Amino acid sequence: MVEHFKNYINGEWVEAVSGETYENINPSNIDEVLGVFPRSNKEDVHSAVNASKNALNNWKNTPPPERGCIISEAARILASRKKELAEIISLENGKTASGGLGEVQSGIDMANFIAGEGRRMYGRTTHSGLKKRFAMTKKYPIGVVGVILPFNFPMALTSWRVFPALICGNTVVLKSEENSPETTVQFTRILEESGLPKGVLNLVHGFGSEVGEALTLHPDVSMVTFTGSSTTGKLIARNCVSRHAKVSLELGGKNAVLVMEDADLDLAVDGIVCGAFSVSGQRCTATGRVIVHKDVYDEFLKKLINMTLSQKAGPADDDTSVVTPLINKKQLVRVLEFLERAKDEGANIILGGKQLKGGVYDKGYYIAPTIVDNITPEMEIAREEVFGPVLSVLKADSYEEACQIHNTSPYGLSASLFTKDVNRSFSFFDDVEAGVCYINAPTFGSEPHMPFGGVKQSGQGYREVGWAAIEAYSEVKTLYVDYSASIQNVQFVNEK
Ligand code: NAD
């Protein structure tokens, strides 16, 4: 029997006010309904925000180490239910169980790191410009934080946003992503079981234009953290800025790997194939472009094609699948249209480029791993995020030209260089416009204790994750104590 799930508002599991629902479909078997979820609207958002607002005073006055104990308990429960959670992620997200296990581990790592941050919410002390005056800063919560996330890492990203928001003393309204809502139900149940007071975390299911938009426009939501496409991010930023709410955006990427003439080509191909095609390229840090030095271009391409041919496309319940199904039909159409436009612009599809059909492929939406060349840096396929198993290959005459090509994309999330030259490696960090850079590694693999985020259209300046998350989810107050027993004024100090 298909389970009917609910919203979680003020510590109660409740239906949407309208009573409307929607079905969540298994991307590896589109005939299977995995669960029925509330199709909420702005009334539900309003109740959730009210619950968060009412819970705020008590939570912000709970000492951060005590908040950390609840998050530590969540880490323990996540670890004890790792396999079961990985299976849920795999079912609704279309990645294999190993991919699901990786996500849960990422949630556990983040919970452990953030729980410890509860004892490290450091401010600064410094000298005043005046005598007998004490100067310091201290971190305070921002208020009610709205969390809006994409479909592709439902457990990892939920953990990466919600745990930091909570440790900083904020209360949270979490909008589940419509294609992976059960993972957020499990996450919420775990925090409930860990002893999180009611109202501190509220979960609302539903669609972006209904739930997401209402959250970004609600006057009592003091901050919105959004992870998703750059197009949606722009709408969200507009809504938040128009009412002076803080907004943190983690957006798309057109991540590139640069392969130099001195690179270990087998290592590079290994990293690029994994970066481009695993989970069908549905990662923000997926390798969408490879820029290859002309001296090794032909040899590299041969190796790339050979290895790509060995990548197995298949459903999530086959752990040997690399190219897993796309999340839904809309995404399939989007990828196929991208490829059509690339051909119209003169690009050459040298491998794949088609929907896979027959057998298990008819139960989901699959695209064969695709390699495209004969591309100039101005073409759409070289600049825009596809979010599918599509790799664009470009040729460069030199390291300098490769960097220049890299920087023509409007995105700047992650970038990688394969080389054996240490000078070039360090120069790369200076030359490339990206928020996360790697040497001799694929474009993904961020760690929970390190900041993460992009430049240009991949973000808007904030970093999340690691210690940066504590900055993102806090207000800093500047505090002075004057113990001179006189009225001093820093502006007129020179006139005394
Ligand atoms: P999306 O932008 O379509 O949707 C993301 C979320 O926004 C969903 O929950 C959706 O319901 C909601 N939404 C849609 N319209 C809205 C509106 N008008 N107001 C408020 N909310 C709205 O993205 P997606 O297809 O789910 O995910 C893929 C994108 O996410 C890619 O661009 C990928 O690069 C990006 N991403 C970025 C990161 C990062 O950390 N930078 C991580 C993962 C994914």
Side-chain angles (χ1 to χ4, degrees):
M1 224 200 39
V2 175
E3 191 171 345
H4 282 239
F5 292 89
K6 293 181 177 169
N7 291 333
Y8 183 69
I9 299 179
N10 203 26
E12 307 288 332
W13 291 93
V14 293
E15 308 280 0
V17 173
S18 68
E20 283 189 54
T21 58
Y22 77 94
E23 292 176 341
N24 185 30
I25 306 296
N26 179 352
S28 295
N29 178 5
I30 51 177
D31 298 328
E32 187 187 2
V33 175
L34 294 173
V36 175
F37 290 83
R39 181 173 170 173
S40 313
N41 62 29
K42 66 179 178 190
E43 280 186 76
D44 305 288
V45 171
H46 187 64
S47 306
V49 173
N50 254 348
S52 287
K53 197 177 158 193
N54 293 336
L56 186 60
N57 202 37
N58 186 39
W59 184 244
K60 77 178 182 191
N61 288 315
T62 303
E66 233 178 89
R67 296 178 207 144
C69 288
I70 294 172
I71 295 173
S72 275
E73 180 59 9
R76 192 194 60 74
I77 302 172
L78 277 167
S80 70
R81 293 181 49 197
K82 196 169 170 183
K83 193 161 171 281
E84 170 207 342
L85 293 168
E87 278 162 14
I88 292 169
I89 296 167
S90 169
L91 261 183
E92 67 174 359
N93 197 266
K95 61 182 64 162
T96 59
S98 325
L101 285 173
E103 272 212 54
V104 184
Q105 187 57 48
S106 182
I108 296 165
D109 292 343
M110 181 51 97
N112 283 325
F113 171 73
I114 284 295
E117 286 296 292
R119 293 213 173 259
R120 278 187 296 269
M121 306 273 289
Y122 301 123
R124 283 186 176 210
T125 57
T126 186
H127 295 268
S128 164
L130 299 175
K131 289 177 186 159
K132 293 191 179 281
R133 192 187 237 221
F134 187 80
M136 63 183 168
T137 62
K138 189 176 174 193
K139 292 193 176 76
Y140 287 85
I142 295 169
V144 176
V145 174
V147 177
I148 304 177
L149 299 172
F151 71 84
N152 60 340
F153 283 94
M155 180 58 83
L157 285 171
T158 305
S159 308
W160 287 27
R161 304 293 180 256
V162 174
F163 290 141
L166 292 179
I167 198 74
C168 294
N170 305 287
T171 53
V172 171
V173 177
L174 169 64
K175 175 209 170 295
S176 70
E177 197 284 329
E178 41 272 58
N179 298 283
S180 47
E182 193 187 334
T183 305
T184 50
V185 169
Q186 300 301 337
F187 177 88
T188 304
R189 284 182 185 161
I190 286 171
L191 272 166
E192 184 184 29
E193 200 183 323
S194 305
L196 193 72
K198 64 180 190 174
V200 173
L201 171 64
N202 300 279
L203 172 66
V204 185
H205 300 287
F207 301 143
S209 54
E210 295 166 1
V211 174
E213 183 160 283
L215 197 52
T216 61
L217 288 171
H218 198 292
D220 292 327
V221 174
S222 304
M223 173 181 176
V224 172
T225 176
F226 171 76
T227 309
S229 64
S230 300
T231 312
T232 312
K234 206 183 278 184
L235 294 175
I236 287 177
R238 205 170 53 203
N239 287 349
C240 292
V241 169
S242 71
R243 56 182 191 83
H244 302 290
K246 185 169 179 176
V247 58
S248 173
L249 304 175
E250 296 292 346
L251 307 174
K254 185 72 178 180
N255 313 291
V257 174
L258 278 59
V259 181
M260 291 300 101
E261 72 283 11
D262 63 342
D264 177 337
L265 290 189
D266 292 319
L267 186 73
V269 165
D270 211 355
I272 290 162
V273 167
C274 181
F277 303 124
S278 60
V279 292
S280 268
Q282 298 172 108
R283 328 167 167 260
C284 56
T285 52
T287 308
R289 296 180 289 163
V290 50
I291 306 166
V292 189
H293 194 284
K294 65 174 180 9
D295 292 356
V296 289
Y297 189 87
D298 293 341
E299 190 188 350
F300 169 83
L301 204 57
K302 208 180 293 165
K303 285 177 186 279
L304 179 70
I305 292 170
N306 274 342
M307 188 154 188
T308 303
L309 284 169
S310 71
Q311 303 305 297
K312 183 172 167 190
D317 61 5
D318 175 352
D319 222 34
T320 62
S321 304
V322 177
V323 187
T324 44
L326 294 171
I327 192 70
N328 53 32
K329 190 170 183 182
K330 190 172 150 212
Q331 205 48 34
L332 172 86
V333 172
R334 185 183 134 89
V335 177
L336 290 173
E337 286 178 353
F338 247 106
L339 294 173
E340 280 311 307
R341 289 195 298 273
K343 281 191 269 182
D344 292 346
E345 279 196 277
N348 183 22
I349 295 181
I350 50 178
L351 199 69
K354 291 191 203 73
Q355 182 179 2
L356 293 169
K357 294 203 173 140
V360 287
Y361 300 136
D362 290 343
K363 295 273 182 194
Y365 304 109
Y366 295 84
I367 300 252
T370 299
I371 300 176
V372 187
D373 81 346
N374 199 32
I375 295 171
T376 59
E378 301 73 36
M379 287 182 186
E380 183 194 49
I381 198 76
R383 293 164 51 84
E384 294 296 334
E385 181 183 49
V386 178
F387 225 58
V390 177
L391 178 65
S392 300
V393 189
L394 295 104
K395 195 188 284 186
D397 286 344
S398 62
Y399 163 78
E400 288 73 20
E401 195 196 14
C403 288
Q404 202 184 332
I405 294 173
H406 175 278
N407 292 343
T408 53
S409 165
Y411 298 94
L413 189 54
S414 69
S416 156
L417 174 74
F418 278 84
T419 185
K420 292 193 187 102
D421 182 335
V422 70
N423 294 345
R424 223 180 230 174
S425 299
F426 278 87
S427 301
F428 179 67
F429 298 148
D430 301 338
D431 297 337
V432 86
E433 293 168 356
V436 185
C437 304
Y438 302 86
I439 303 295
N440 295 330
T443 48
F444 65 84
S446 48
E447 301 187 36
H449 59 291
M450 295 288 283
F452 183 86
V455 303
K456 296 158 83 177
Q457 286 183 27
S458 294
Q460 103 293 30
Y462 284 111
R463 291 290 175 272
E464 297 224 18
V465 194
W467 64 86
I470 304 300
E471 311 291 329
Y473 292 102
S474 300
E475 290 284 9
V476 171
K477 283 192 190 175
T478 307
L479 310 169
Y480 298 107
V481 180
D482 196 305
Y483 53 101
S484 67
S486 64
I487 300 303
Q488 306 191 76
N489 189 333
V490 73
Q491 265 76 38
F492 300 110
V493 69
N494 291 332
E495 292 176 21
K496 282 191 184 160

